[in-house]
Amino acid sequence: MSIHISAKPGEVAETILLPGDPLRAKHIADNYLEEAVCFNEVRGMYGFTGYYKGKRVSVSGTGMGIPSISIYVNELIREYNVKNLIRIGSCGSLQEEVAIRDIIIAMSANTDSNVNNIRFPQRNFAPTANFSLLEKAVETARTKGLDPKVGSVLTSDNFYHEDPEEWKMWASYGVLAVEMETAELYSLAAKYGVKALSVLTVSDHFITGEQTTSEERQKTFNDMMEIALSLA
Ligand SMILES: O=P(O)(O)O[C@H]1O[C@H](CO)[C@@H](O)[C@H]1O
Ligand SMILES: O=c1cc[nH]c(=O)[nH]1
């Protein structure tokens, strides 16, 4: 096992879905996977491996924020040889034309985190999605009759922002939404030469003030889950 994952070698599939919420991982295993086996319960961060339409796929929670996803993604890549990492998360829309419950496919991730300043002092790194996963996710979403919004997101270290107006600056640069993990997922995927993508669902809206319930965030958002599963 690794420090935070109790799976034995070979128990994690090459493709893994990564919701922040471990109960969303359990929901996917219970409702979408056949022959699902739990490979991790350390700290309640459930991970499962099973089959979706005959393809072996895993799903694991990552927790919230860059430090937490960084631990799981480092261990999944370095100890378990995971090759395709697909985040499925909730986010807050910063744009009028991106509505609550819309799907966002994150082409790139800006961040207010210092994590890449530590890696690249005095330089900027551009955390970017894998194009083949992105292309397939867009195609799958469109086949389902959806209109996914593709563009950049903000990965923030804060859910509760010191300056409640700061989002407007990011919005003015066309950033679609805010969440808390994608920049680190894309940076680690680049570092280790594996593929990553974030597929997000808008759970709340900075302009209209609309919100979804915690139950909806945990159990619904089926389109996002099905798009991500199709990438397996
Ligand atoms: O729904 P998840 O995947 O947890 O993602 C979003 O929700 C959490 C905040 O409520 C953060 O982790 C943010 O990135
Ligand atoms: O990180 C997040 C996720 C959803 N909504 C937000 O405002 N922030």
Side-chain angles (χ1 to χ4, degrees):
M1 69 172 281
S2 62
I3 294 174
H4 302 92
I5 303 173
S6 56
K8 296 188 194 77
E11 283 187 342
V12 185
E14 275 202 353
T15 298
I16 189 161
L17 271 54
L18 299 171
D21 182 353
L23 292 180
R24 198 181 309 141
K26 185 172 185 319
H27 175 80
I28 292 169
D30 290 346
N31 291 280
Y32 287 100
L33 299 189
E34 284 169 16
E35 299 173 40
V37 174
C38 182
F39 65 73
N40 192 38
E41 286 188 2
V42 176
R43 292 178 178 243
M45 197 59 76
Y46 296 119
F48 301 87
T49 297
Y51 291 85
Y52 179 73
K53 297 188 177 169
K55 303 276 188 204
R56 192 161 179 262
V57 61
S58 294
V59 54
S60 168
T62 64
M64 292 184 275
I66 282 179
S68 188
I69 194 171
S70 184
I71 286 172
Y72 292 101
V73 167
N74 263 290
E75 292 182 19
L76 287 166
I77 296 172
R78 287 156 50 165
E79 311 282 340
Y80 295 100
N81 276 323
V82 167
K83 301 292 184 205
N84 304 302
L85 300 100
I86 302 143
R87 166 164 158 69
I88 44 173
S90 58
C91 64
S93 171
L94 305 182
Q95 303 289 341
E96 244 164 53
E97 63 274 17
V98 181
I100 195 140
R101 298 185 187 82
D102 271 2
I103 297 281
I104 292 181
I105 299 179
M107 191 151 64
S108 60
N110 311 282
T111 186
D112 57 20
S113 159
N114 207 32
V115 70
N116 276 335
N117 293 335
I118 296 167
R119 292 190 178 108
F120 300 95
Q122 313 280 322
R123 290 156 176 80
N124 286 310
F125 176 74
T128 307
N130 173 265
F131 184 70
S132 62
L133 290 179
L134 183 141
E135 198 177 25
K136 185 149 189 253
V138 172
E139 192 185 303
T140 305
R142 289 191 177 143
T143 306
K144 289 165 76 62
L146 302 169
D147 176 24
K149 308 296 186 294
V150 183
S152 84
V153 298
L154 168 64
T155 297
S156 181
D157 270 353
N158 294 303
F159 186 86
Y160 298 105
H161 294 263
E162 207 55 41
D163 172 3
E165 301 285 294
E166 191 194 319
W167 66 271
K168 292 182 181 168
M169 187 268 293
W170 296 102
S172 74
Y173 278 71
V175 176
L176 299 178
V178 56
E179 52 84 74
M180 299 177 69
E181 293 84 14
T182 298
E184 178 67 350
L185 172 64
Y186 289 0
S187 299
L188 288 172
K191 175 174 176 176
Y192 291 108
V194 298
K195 297 180 183 176
L197 181 70
S198 281
V199 182
L200 308 168
T201 305
V202 176
S203 60
D204 49 86
H205 207 293
F206 276 64
I207 300 170
T208 65
E210 293 164 280
Q211 290 184 333
T212 51
T213 63
S214 60
E215 194 184 10
E216 198 173 356
R217 291 196 292 276
Q218 184 184 315
K219 294 198 173 148
T220 61
F221 298 167
N222 296 326
D223 288 331
M224 168 176 78
M225 298 178 200
E226 287 164 19
I227 292 165
L229 283 164
S230 78
L231 301 174

